[in-house]
Amino acid sequence: MTEAADEVFDVIIIGAGPAGLSAGLNLVRARRRVLMLDSNRPRHSATLMSHGFLTRDGVPPLLLRKLGREEFEKYPEASFHQAMVISIERIEEPGPDGEPVGELIVVHSKGIRGSGDRTATARTLLIATGLLETLPALPSIRAFYGTSMHSCTECDGYEKSNAPLALIGETGDLAERALLLSQWSNDLIVFTNGADVLTPADAAALDARGIGVERRPIADIEGDRSGMTGISLTDGTVIARSGGFVRPEWTTALDYESMLGLQTDDENLLVVDGNGRTSVSGVFAAGDSTPPGAQQLIVAAGEGAKVAAAINRHLIGIL
């Protein structure tokens, strides 16, 4: 059995995105001793501007993280460490007589960017690591991702208003995303890249909305320094498009099911109740790693604040 470190935090937060930072700020203001661990690998690192965040519309996401970290760290109860979590375990918490009185959570992490390795112990854990995203295997997609191509329609749809757009994806929710995107442009083509993901009902709904469908496989994204100009297909056809959206494949950052035995859903997202509690006592989750998955920054921040209140109540013993 691993020995707990002498210092025991009230909460360890894994992830310093909007959910983790919002939770951390609210917890230190509740005078909880909080350690935040972050690997500095945000999903939105390619995005130049964030939108829809009240008082911060148009602010770069990385600046939003920087401001949030500064607000968190100004409180004496806050600790921040740049590290990649490598394992998590639960241990018994010994009482004064040596008998167990509960459980503690031990997080082992490997330091990055000059930070040392760290093993830390807490009474509760908040998972706010968000998601990792895998884009379609197109040679030039990264060159246009975050400028001409985006993944969040609510975040970036307005800036693409009335433009000839593409929506690329190979998942079952593609039609729903296309219908949402048609609010911003009536010149939209869905590219399935050869995948059979549209049902007859989906196709009928798209047709009724005037949304085109292209089922042939994609070769690449065409464009130059000024931006995207089209989608090239493997048969040599090039379809002019000035921008668009892509539906990535999303996965959780760590294997929490094997680490802690946390329950996950069919999308491999962490199952939580209305207070952010996972299937393991003392372990909470907020943000993209919980259903419905990837979401706007302001939504993730709101979830972080809500779960922080639940964690504080849990520590008091009234939840």
Side-chain angles (χ1 to χ4, degrees):
M1 178 178 292
T2 302
E3 293 294 331
D6 292 337
E7 184 179 30
V8 178
F9 292 91
D10 290 314
V11 190
I12 292 175
I13 298 175
I14 307 176
L21 288 167
S22 178
L25 179 61
N26 282 275
L27 284 163
V28 293
R29 287 187 52 79
R31 301 184 67 185
R32 294 297 181 185
R33 295 181 61 255
V34 179
L35 170 64
M36 188 175 296
L37 300 171
D38 184 57
S39 63
N40 197 34
R41 295 183 179 180
R43 180 174 61 85
H44 50 63
S45 59
T47 303
L48 299 180
M49 292 186 293
S50 61
H51 293 285
F53 201 117
L54 191 64
T55 77
R56 291 293 183 268
D57 189 57
V59 169
L62 294 180
L63 177 57
L64 194 66
R65 285 168 55 90
K66 177 179 180 291
L67 294 172
R69 177 178 168 181
E70 290 173 353
E71 290 178 350
F72 168 72
E73 288 193 284
K74 75 181 182 182
Y75 289 87
E77 293 83 2
S79 297
F80 187 94
H81 192 73
Q82 284 202 324
M84 174 76 70
V85 172
I86 55 176
S87 66
I88 310 170
E89 60 185 315
R90 291 181 290 159
I91 64 171
E92 293 179 346
E93 179 182 11
D97 58 359
E99 292 298 315
V101 294
E103 285 190 332
L104 297 172
I105 298 167
V106 181
V107 179
H108 305 274
S109 60
K110 183 175 182 59
I112 60 173
R113 297 193 173 187
S115 296
D117 299 349
R118 185 163 187 169
T119 295
T121 305
R123 303 191 187 284
T124 58
L125 175 70
L126 172 59
I127 297 169
T129 47
L131 297 170
L132 301 176
E133 60 184 18
T134 302
L135 299 177
L138 303 175
S140 302
I141 193 167
R142 284 287 178 187
F144 301 102
Y145 191 55
T147 53
S148 296
M149 296 290 295
H150 306 273
S151 61
C152 178
T153 56
E154 291 87 352
C155 304
D156 299 291
Y158 187 87
E159 282 63 42
K160 304 298 183 187
S161 294
N162 302 318
L165 301 179
L167 173 62
I168 301 172
E170 302 173 27
T171 58
D173 60 354
L174 199 59
E176 178 183 350
R177 289 177 173 273
L179 293 171
L180 290 170
L181 187 54
S182 68
Q183 176 66 22
W184 288 282
S185 176
N186 59 8
D187 187 357
L188 172 64
I189 300 175
V190 173
F191 292 80
T192 67
N193 198 24
D196 184 19
V197 293
L198 296 178
T199 67
D202 289 337
L206 295 177
D207 183 65
R209 191 79 173 184
I211 300 170
V213 176
E214 178 52 70
R215 292 179 169 82
R216 287 174 289 177
I218 302 171
D220 203 1
I221 309 295
E222 299 289 323
D224 51 33
R225 291 184 177 180
S226 64
M228 174 180 163
T229 58
I231 305 289
S232 61
L233 306 179
T234 55
D235 65 4
T237 304
V238 177
I239 300 176
R241 302 282 94 183
S242 68
F245 291 79
V246 61
R247 201 306 195 174
E249 294 283 352
W250 287 304
T251 54
T252 52
L254 296 171
D255 187 357
Y256 300 110
E257 189 172 8
S258 64
M259 283 184 175
L260 290 166
L262 300 183
Q263 181 183 353
T264 58
D265 65 10
D266 292 340
E267 302 295 325
N268 205 35
L269 298 171
L270 297 173
V271 175
V272 293
D273 67 9
N275 291 305
R277 292 182 292 192
T278 69
S279 56
V280 173
S281 178
V283 180
F284 295 74
D288 291 357
S289 57
T290 65
Q295 54 203 240
Q296 287 182 276
L297 300 182
I298 195 167
V299 175
E303 279 197 7
K306 182 176 73 172
V307 175
I311 291 173
N312 188 48
R313 292 167 67 85
H314 170 85
L315 288 167
I316 292 172
I318 57 177
L319 180 66

